[in-house]
Amino acid sequence: MEMYPELKLYIGGSWRTTRDDLPVVNPSTEEIIGHLPIARENDLDDALDAAAAGFERWSQTSPRDRADLIREASRLMRERKDEIAHSISLEQGKPFREAQLEVIRGCEFFEWDAGEAVRTYGRVIPSAPGVKYIVHHQPIGPVAAFSPWNFPMSQPARKIAGALASGCSIILKAAEETPAGAMHIAQAFEDAGLPGGVLNLVFGVPADISNYLIPSSTVSLVAFTGSTAVGRHLTGLASSHMTPVLMELGGHAPVIVCEDTDVEAAAMTSAIRKMRNAGQVCTSPTRFFVHDSVYEHFLDVFTKRAEATIVGDGMDQGVEMGPLANDRRITTMVNLVADARDSGAEITTGGHRIGSSGYFFEPTVLAKVPHHARVMQEEPFGPLAIVNSVDSLDTAIEKANSVPYGLAAYGFTNRADYADRMVDRIEAGNLSINTLEASLPETPFGGVKSSGYGREGGFEGLQAYTVVKNVSHSVSIV
Ligand code: NAD
């Protein structure tokens, strides 16, 4: 298998390196595995010009031809699944098996959006004889997109799929920690025959790139996935140029465990799901509100399963959880755990960094965490679960809604009235009952409150990438 690829920018259909670079580190070993070229203003100017030209051409390409090309690129990525998974496991740390699943998921995003490309239907509004009102959905224009490091391939895939399926060109800044996932995507599109300039890939200092691209009159949409703080900043920047945004931001997902559920199954599946991608998932189940009558049982099963998680280098056989993506996450975990402990929480397992080389952290369960502890409000984005008891579903819903986030939420119950109450009252863009799957390519995904706005996936997924134009046409001059 090929080792980690040589990192390059992809602008106007050709690959380039730059004078300055940043090291890319394997989070399992802290070894430098690559050098990230840093885009400077001249590179960004080239990317903007290329995206403008790419948009002219791609927006005039038929939706069917766009769909065919996206499907061909996706076929190539499926063929290269192991090579891509190898790169992203090295740069991000996740178990190889999870990385393979991520590549498949990324391909599914491309395939779904390719299907949607031919379904951006408009409508005809009835009118007087000789007059027609026709609503068109047209591609919005060149997109500046920013993808995070937690899913190095499937996060860029979501943005590229939406843009290309809609007829937009895109400049993607992929995360500096995990650039190879996006590079593999660009390579597949080049090999599939995508015209130069439609997809441009840059890396570098995030603020330098967003400060340069977003004010450009070429950019018609800003799409971002990452923290609420950065999302808010970029939204401010975009709004001063009247540029629309698509924001997929942080979450702090509540899980309501009702007294009627199968406690053992709910606890087992929750503990396994919590540790997926070392908890670095915006939909990660984190704040568990468990009915008093089943609390101790749930906590016991959850703690034992969390403790049994096999942690190690993502490339090693049998590993269930890799390291955190960078040392910033270790610092956050250590601080949140210390604050929770000082606030009176019990740590039923974990709470510490593992070893001194690699960013490994123990699967951690905090119980009976007081409301004022920082972790009750701040997204941990790591392998940390809070398990608290509640006396009723109403209390659980109140606590679930007590944070500024509203991305994913979960419930375990077999009672129709409980499920119905959750559907009506939980503040979240995605609610899953008796499953911890928050989204599929065919379902709309996104947040409410500080978790952002706009949707990716489902038929809603292309809406952000299109603008509505109403055409009034009279057969004679009136
Ligand atoms: P961060 O806020 O510094 O960065 C988050 C992402 O935003 C990174 O990919 C980074 O490259 C990018 N970014 C930062 N400043 C930027 C700027 N000025 N312009 C453009 N992009 C910029 O945080 P971090 O330490 O990298 O990650 C931790 C937090 O990020 C987590 O707490 C989590 O909330 C959030 N996050 C969310 C997701 C998600 O899927 N929603 C993914 C990764 C990280």
Side-chain angles (χ1 to χ4, degrees), residues 33-94:
I33 51 173
H35 296 276
L36 181 85
I38 298 178
R40 295 296 180 204
E41 287 185 4
N42 63 308
D43 302 303
L44 299 177
D45 282 335
D46 291 349
L48 286 163
D49 290 346
F55 178 68
E56 284 303 311
R57 177 157 180 194
W58 193 240
S59 59
Q60 296 304 314
T61 302
S62 79
R64 183 171 290 276
D65 288 348
R66 296 199 301 254
D68 285 348
L69 198 144
I70 295 169
R71 283 198 196 93
E72 172 59 10
S74 188
R75 189 191 66 74
L76 291 171
M77 286 180 259
R78 282 182 183 269
E79 218 171 75
R80 299 169 189 175
K81 181 186 72 189
D82 287 354
E83 186 190 342
I84 303 174
H86 183 251
S87 292
I88 63 184
S89 187
L90 282 183
E91 66 186 7
Q92 200 266 352
K94 69 183 61 183

Side-chain angles (χ1 to χ4, degrees), residues 88 102-103 105-106 109 151-159 185:
I88 63 184
E102 181 186 333
V103 177
R105 191 170 171 87
F109 291 149
F151 291 97
M153 189 274 180
S154 65
Q155 291 275 16
R158 272 213 127 133
K159 308 261 177 290
I185 295 177

Side-chain angles (χ1 to χ4, degrees), residues 146-151 155 173-177 204-211 214 224-231 233-234 237 248-251 280-283 326 328-329 332 379-381 405 407 445 451:
F146 302 86
S147 61
W149 42 258
N150 55 343
F151 291 97
Q155 291 275 16
K173 184 203 78 67
E176 41 291 353
E177 290 100 334
V205 179
D208 290 353
I209 295 184
S210 55
N211 285 338
I214 294 174
F224 173 75
T225 296
S227 63
T228 295
V230 175
H233 167 70
L234 298 187
L237 197 54
E248 203 270 88
L249 307 177
Q280 302 165 118
V281 185
C282 51
T283 57
N326 50 54
R328 300 193 299 284
R329 301 259 39 88
T332 304
E379 178 187 28
F381 220 66
Y405 299 106
L407 190 60
F445 178 72
S451 292

